[in-house]
Structure formats: structure tokens, C-alpha cells
């Protein structure tokens, strides 16, 4: 099964992606997480990514993102499918994904568009805390860790993402509206888009996603 998760920053793509990945046994590929990890590890790729100022909400150029995704989806764990979170994010990225899949005789099964009111999204940003070690994501109110400020999985001190600063959030939302929102129409036209009400609590949102995927008229 090959899935794309679409939706504005902070809507809950990563939260749902973890559940979908576990439920269907497919790898969760988040381009944002790949970039943050490379920057944190200080690799050559990470130093290159740093120049594009993702910490300020700017997009990485299409050719760089595309090459990173191309390499990742050729890894063995992607042989039975994968879940893309945060890619494609522009029309050229979507067109390249189509080409990749056609070359491999693969097919995109569904694009899940997570949608929620902007006020909900802003609250999700302000309370988000992430684990710098294993990327686990929490929310101080909606999904708190068992011990305040500490990761349930590894005990590391939770942090705020630098791009969750309110000024940068505004920029990210603007960039999303300009460059990524057009993908909703793009995938609507291709008949692959299903919109999910992401304003509900995480388990309810996940239930909607599973119901959508199970009810879909295609072979998983
Ligand atoms: P990326 O990491 O993909 O960030 P994003 O799209 O901005 O989305 P977020 O990760 O901020 O939010 P999310 O939707 O995953 O929400 P989450 O589940 O964490 O990309 C980062 C940057 O990398 C980009 O800005 C760009 O610069 C660059 N980049 C990445 N891909 C690129 C590409 N393809 N091309 C160019 N540049 C690229 O949830 C948010 C919070 O809400 C959490 O605290 C969570 O606990 C809480 N929450 C989640 N769901 C619910 C719910 N249902 N109810 C209540 N709280 C909830
Ligand atoms: Mg995310």
C-alpha cells in the first residue's frame, strides 16, 4: 500500500502516520523528520539542508527533496509499500512522484487530506513537545507524556521544535497555502483524495482513516 498524507503544518500528519505505519506495517517516511535528523547529526547532507532555513519555515528546493525521497523509497523496507508524510509538497514534487511510481510499475493508492480549523492547528503547535532522541511527539494538553517534560519511550528531556515559534508558524502556514494547498485540487482531480476531519481527538481521526481505507474499492 502506498499512501500520501497531506495537510497543513501542525494538523496531525505525524501523529496519524505513526498509527497508520504500525497498523499496516509500512514505513513512515517524513521528509521533515529526515531533514531534522540530518541537521542534528551534522552530516554533509544536514549542513546542506541547514542552508535552506527549514528552521525558519522555508521549503527545501524540489530537486533536493526529490533525490532524498527517491533514495529512501528504494530501501528494502519500502518493498511492500510506504506512507509519505510531508511529500509531495509542491506540484513538481507530485509529478515526479507519479513518474517514479510509473517507472517502478507501482501505484499510489490514496491521498489522505487531514483538515482542521486554523484555531485548532495553532493550539496544537503551541503545546507540541518532541523527543530529540526518537522523534516521539506529545502535546502538553492533548497527548501529555506520563512524566511532564520527559519522553515515555526513552526518558529524554522533551523539546519544542524551533519552527514552532509563532512567527515561524505564520510563515509555514503562508508557504503551505501558496505552495502545497494546490495539491488538494491536483489529487482531487485524479480521484485519489479523501479528506479526513482531523479536528477530532487522535483515536477518532485514526478510526476515520482506517474506515476510509478499508472501505476503499481497491486492493491494499
Ligand atoms: P514537517 O516536519 O513535515 O512539518 P509540517 O508539515 O510543517 O508538519 P508538522 O510536523 O509541524 O505537523 P504534523 O502535521 O506532523 O502534526 P503533529 O502530528 O506533529 O516539515 C518541516 C519542514 O521541513 C518544512 O517546513 C519544510 O521547511 C521542510 N520540508 C519537509 N518536507 C518538505 C518537502 N517535501 N519539500 C520542501 N520542504 C520540505 O501534531 C502537532 C501537535 O498536535 C502535536 O503536539 C500532537 O500531539 C498534537 N495533535 C496531533 N493530532 C491531534 C489531535 N487529533 N487532537 C489534538 N492534538 C493533536
Ligand atoms: Mg510532522
Amino acid at each position: 500500500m502506498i499512501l500520501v498524507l497531506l495537510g497543513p503544518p501542525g494538523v496531525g500528519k505525524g501523529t496519524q502516520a505513526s498509527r497508520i505505519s504500525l497498523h499496516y506495517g509500512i514505513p513512515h517516511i517524513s521528509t521533515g523528520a529526515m531533514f531534522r535528523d540530518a541537521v542534528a547529526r551534522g552530516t554533509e547532507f544536514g549542513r546542506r539542508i541547514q542552508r535552506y532555513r527549514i528552521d525558519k519555515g522555508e521549503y527545501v528546493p524540489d530537486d533536493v527533496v526529490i533525490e532524498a525521497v527517491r533514495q529512501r523509497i528504494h530501501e528494502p523496507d519500502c518493498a511492500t509499500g510506504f506512507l509519505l508524510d510531508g511529500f509531495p509538497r509542491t506540484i513538481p514534487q507530485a509529478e515526479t512522484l507519479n513518474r517514479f511510481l510509473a517507472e517502478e510499475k507501482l501505484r499510489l493508492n490514496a491521498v489522505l487530506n487531514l483538515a482542521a480549523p486554523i484555531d485548532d492547528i495553532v493550539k496544537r503547535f503551541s503545546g507540541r513537545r518532541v523527543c530529540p532522541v526518537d522523534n516521539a511527539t506529545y502535546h502538553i494538553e492533548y497527548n501529555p507524556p506520563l512524566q511532564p517534560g520527559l519522553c515515555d519511550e526513552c526518558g529524554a528531556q522533551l523539546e519544542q521544535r524551533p519552527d514552532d515559534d509563532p512567527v515561524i508558524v505564520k510563515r509555514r502556514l503562508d508557504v503551505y497555502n501558496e505552495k502545497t494547498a494546490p495539491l488538494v485540487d491536483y489529487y482531487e482531480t485524479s480521484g485519489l483524495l479523501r479528506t479526513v476531519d482531523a479536528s477530532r481527538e487522535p483515536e477518532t481521526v485514526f478510526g476515520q482513516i482506517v474506515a476510509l481505507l478499508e472501505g476503499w474499492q481497491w486492493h491494499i
Side-chain angles (χ1 to χ4, degrees):
M1 177 164 53
I2 299 176
L3 299 174
V4 164
L5 268 183
L6 199 61
V11 76
K13 299 182 297 297
T15 301
Q16 294 305 322
S18 303
R19 288 171 163 80
I20 297 167
S21 165
L22 204 64
H23 188 81
Y24 290 105
I26 51 173
H28 166 199
I29 301 175
S30 160
T31 40
M34 281 163 62
F35 297 151
R36 283 188 292 278
D37 180 59
V39 170
R41 285 190 293 117
T43 61
E44 195 187 326
F45 180 62
R47 285 195 296 277
R48 188 170 171 204
I49 292 297
Q50 223 161 3
R51 292 206 301 270
Y52 303 125
R53 302 319 311 255
I54 68 169
D55 56 337
K56 302 280 182 217
E58 304 304 325
Y59 278 5
V60 172
D62 286 338
D63 57 335
V64 178
V65 187
I66 286 166
E67 181 51 23
V69 171
R70 193 188 63 76
Q71 286 184 22
R72 179 65 187 89
I73 64 181
H74 280 104
E75 286 177 24
D77 64 332
C78 293
T80 56
F82 46 87
L83 167 63
L84 293 167
D85 159 11
F87 179 92
R89 235 177 171 102
T90 62
I91 300 279
Q93 290 180 22
E95 287 174 342
T96 307
L97 176 64
N98 285 344
R99 259 200 321 280
F100 282 170
L101 295 177
E103 279 163 18
E104 306 284 334
K105 302 203 174 0
L106 296 171
R107 172 166 84 85
L108 179 58
N109 295 112
V111 177
L112 300 166
N113 177 36
L114 302 192
I118 186 70
D119 291 353
D120 292 359
I121 291 175
V122 168
K123 281 186 209 145
R124 290 180 189 183
F125 275 125
S126 59
R128 173 160 59 185
R129 299 291 182 273
V130 292
C131 174
V133 178
D134 55 28
N135 283 320
T137 299
Y138 302 87
H139 190 283
I140 51 174
E141 190 181 337
Y142 308 133
N143 176 28
L146 296 171
Q147 288 191 60
L150 299 180
C151 178
D152 293 350
E153 305 300 323
C154 69
Q157 188 77 44
L158 300 178
E159 296 176 349
Q160 279 189 280
R161 265 173 50 179
D163 58 348
D164 280 352
D165 174 279
V167 174
I168 296 163
V169 163
K170 161 104 183 38
R171 174 68 189 150
R172 288 166 67 196
L173 289 166
D174 288 347
V175 174
Y176 169 83
N177 285 325
E178 182 198 335
K179 295 187 172 162
T180 305
L183 286 179
V184 173
D185 279 349
Y186 177 89
Y187 282 121
E188 182 96 77
T189 307
S190 67
L192 288 171
L193 191 88
R194 291 296 179 273
T195 294
V196 176
D197 174 10
S199 68
R200 316 285 301 278
E201 65 272 19
E203 269 321 301
T204 310
V205 178
F206 180 60
Q208 284 181 62
I209 291 174
V210 173
L212 262 175
L213 293 177
E214 305 291 323
W216 200 285
Q217 299 302 305
W218 43 261
H219 294 289
I220 289 179

